[in-house]
Amino acid sequence: MDDYSITDTFDTELFNTNTIYYFLPYAILMVILFIIYYSRPDYLKGFWRASEEFCDEAGVDSIMLYISEPGGMLGRARAGYIIMGPDLGHQGFDLNVGVNRSISPYSCKCSVGVTFDDDPLWDDKVSITSDGSTLKILSGGKLAFYGHRDF
């Protein structure tokens, strides 16, 4: 009979260098997926006022945009509301925010699906870029909204 116990086999086979190198890529992948999942663009929420330059080019006096906090199962669904003044209209919309493609934790660059309650103002897919104080929405390669956070 051999003179080793099950703990000797456990110590030498489970914790050898090859085993650690085998599991290390999986651990790194899990950390990356965790970071991506929790890097949702929560800083999109709030009230946004279009810049004066943008309003002048659009031919309106003012545009206000509201984006709600994330909801839904994965935190990607948001509700929103846009008001164009004076008396040019207002309507609600739903956003389905994609994965943040920005490396910085203080900015957002993502593709967003948009569904308007009435007549659509933008394409079904837009690109949103924000650094937390400014918001830029591109629709079909054209600037659809540019504004600043309205505290």
Side-chain angles (χ1 to χ4, degrees):
M1 191 128 218
D2 294 327
D3 279 338
Y4 67 91
S5 67
I6 188 131
T7 57
D8 292 336
T9 306
F10 178 79
D11 289 340
T12 59
E13 290 181 12
L14 187 61
F15 293 107
N16 67 27
T17 307
N18 292 337
T19 306
I20 292 172
Y21 288 132
Y22 178 75
F23 286 109
L24 188 61
Y26 294 109
I28 292 171
L29 179 64
M30 293 304 293
V31 169
I32 290 171
L33 291 175
F34 180 82
I35 290 170
I36 289 171
Y37 179 76
Y38 284 102
S39 68
R40 293 188 297 251
D42 291 335
Y43 36 82
L44 291 179
K45 68 181 178 196
F47 290 93
W48 300 88
R49 180 182 302 274
S51 68
E52 289 183 29
E53 297 84 18
F54 179 78
C55 289
D56 289 342
E57 288 182 28
V60 297
D61 289 343
S62 66
I63 300 175
M64 288 288 296
L65 185 69
Y66 170 73
I67 300 176
S68 72
E69 291 193 22
M73 186 166 223
L74 295 176
R76 303 280 184 218
R78 295 170 184 256
Y81 204 78
I82 188 167
I83 301 171
M84 295 176 287
D87 302 325
L88 290 177
H90 56 87
Q91 69 172 303
F93 56 88
D94 294 316
L95 300 176
N96 185 11
V97 180
V99 175
N100 186 358
R101 297 184 317 258
S102 174
I103 296 172
S104 170
Y106 303 107
S107 66
C108 168
K109 185 175 184 179
C110 50
S111 294
V112 179
V114 183
T115 306
F116 283 94
D117 293 346
D118 297 321
D119 295 327
L121 299 173
W122 309 320
D123 293 340
D124 292 344
K125 279 277 197 202
V126 297
S127 175
I128 292 182
T129 305
S130 175
D131 63 3
S133 62
T134 60
L135 180 74
K136 181 167 73 170
I137 300 175
L138 295 174
S139 175
K142 296 180 182 177
L143 190 61
F145 181 87
Y146 179 80
H148 303 280
R149 188 176 294 279
D150 192 31
F151 294 99

